[in-house]
């Protein structure tokens, strides 16, 4: 339970810094990863440590793939690794799913607000199919050709949703 309190604090701080400065700081994410691993070990022994490691690796790997595709920053990858370390497995699966859903909703709303809906769908298509379809080229994302959002906000909302599910079983 302590790890979940730390997790909520970490995602809230990162969402605020991402909104204000478009930055997720390593001095927040790295200690959070270490704290998650340490708390897992302290409260549940070796099994807790393994659980935290698996959660960290799943969160890191999934968001790293999205980072490689140019869909998010490296800070988001480290933040999701911290969420996985603090929440463990299977918590990270809920957090990932809800974060991606929240990110999609936020992106859709921002794209509509900025009048970039069709351009955003084009970017998504190109990112998904550029590696498997000849003739489809991926455009590097920049402010002029994409809708960028502070993804830590989506991770924050998704992670808090996963905490609520974990504690209160609101979705099941």
């Amino acid at each position: 339970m302590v790890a979940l309190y730390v997790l909520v604090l970490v995602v809230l701080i990162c969402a605020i810094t991402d909104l204000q400065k478009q930055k997720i700081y390593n001095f927040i994410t790295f200690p959070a990863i270490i704290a998650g691993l340490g708390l897992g070990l302290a409260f549940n022994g070796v099994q807790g440590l393994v659980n935290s490691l698996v959660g960290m690796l799943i969160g890191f790997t999934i968001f790293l793939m999205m980072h490689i595709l140019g869909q998010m920053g490296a800070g988001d990858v480290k933040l999701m690794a911290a969420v996985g370390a603090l929440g463990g497995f299977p918590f990270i699966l809920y957090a990932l799913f809800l974060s991606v859903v929240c990110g999609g909703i936020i992106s859709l709303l921002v794209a509509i607000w900025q009048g970039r809906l069709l351009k955003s769908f084009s970017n998504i298509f190109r990112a998904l199919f550029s590696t498997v379809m000849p003739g489809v080229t991926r455009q590097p994302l920049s402010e002029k050709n994409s809708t960028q959002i502070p993804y830590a906000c989506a991770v924050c909302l998704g992670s808090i949703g996963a905490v609520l599910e974990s504690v209160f079983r609101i979705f099941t």
Side-chain angles (χ1 to χ4, degrees):
M1 196 64 151
V2 172
L4 295 180
Y5 290 123
V6 173
L7 185 148
V8 169
L9 181 62
V10 166
V11 296
L12 284 170
I13 291 169
C14 290
I16 291 167
T17 63
D18 202 12
L19 274 171
Q20 291 178 341
K21 300 180 181 178
Q22 294 76 51
K23 185 106 175 104
I24 299 171
Y25 292 101
N26 290 339
F27 67 81
I28 297 169
T29 56
F30 288 151
I33 291 169
I34 293 167
L37 298 174
L39 288 168
L41 179 63
F43 287 105
N44 297 310
V46 173
Q47 182 59 41
L49 176 62
V50 169
N51 194 22
S52 290
L53 275 169
V54 169
M56 179 191 73
L57 290 172
I58 290 172
F60 178 82
T61 303
I62 299 296
F63 269 37
L64 179 63
M65 289 187 292
M66 293 168 71
H67 173 67
I68 289 169
L69 289 173
Q71 301 301 306
M72 65 181 48
D76 301 309
V77 177
K78 292 175 272 190
L79 177 58
M80 192 51 80
V83 169
L86 287 161
F89 180 84
F91 176 90
I92 189 62
L93 301 178
Y94 289 108
L96 278 165
F97 174 75
L98 293 173
S99 295
V100 169
V101 169
C102 289
I105 293 169
I106 293 168
S107 295
L108 182 63
L109 293 173
V110 169
I112 292 169
W113 179 262
Q114 294 177 345
R116 296 181 176 183
L117 187 61
L118 291 177
K119 184 66 173 171
S120 295
F121 281 127
S122 171
N123 288 340
I124 292 167
F125 173 81
R126 289 176 182 280
L128 291 174
F129 296 107
S130 63
T131 57
V132 294
M133 291 180 69
V136 176
T137 58
R138 192 175 78 194
Q139 292 178 317
L141 294 181
S142 66
E143 279 193 41
K144 77 172 197 165
N145 71 0
S146 70
T147 300
Q148 296 179 334
I149 66 164
Y151 210 84
C153 295
V155 172
C156 179
L157 292 172
S159 297
I160 289 173
V163 167
L164 293 173
E165 168 60 21
S166 177
V167 173
F168 299 111
R169 299 287 180 218
I170 61 171
F171 300 122
T172 56

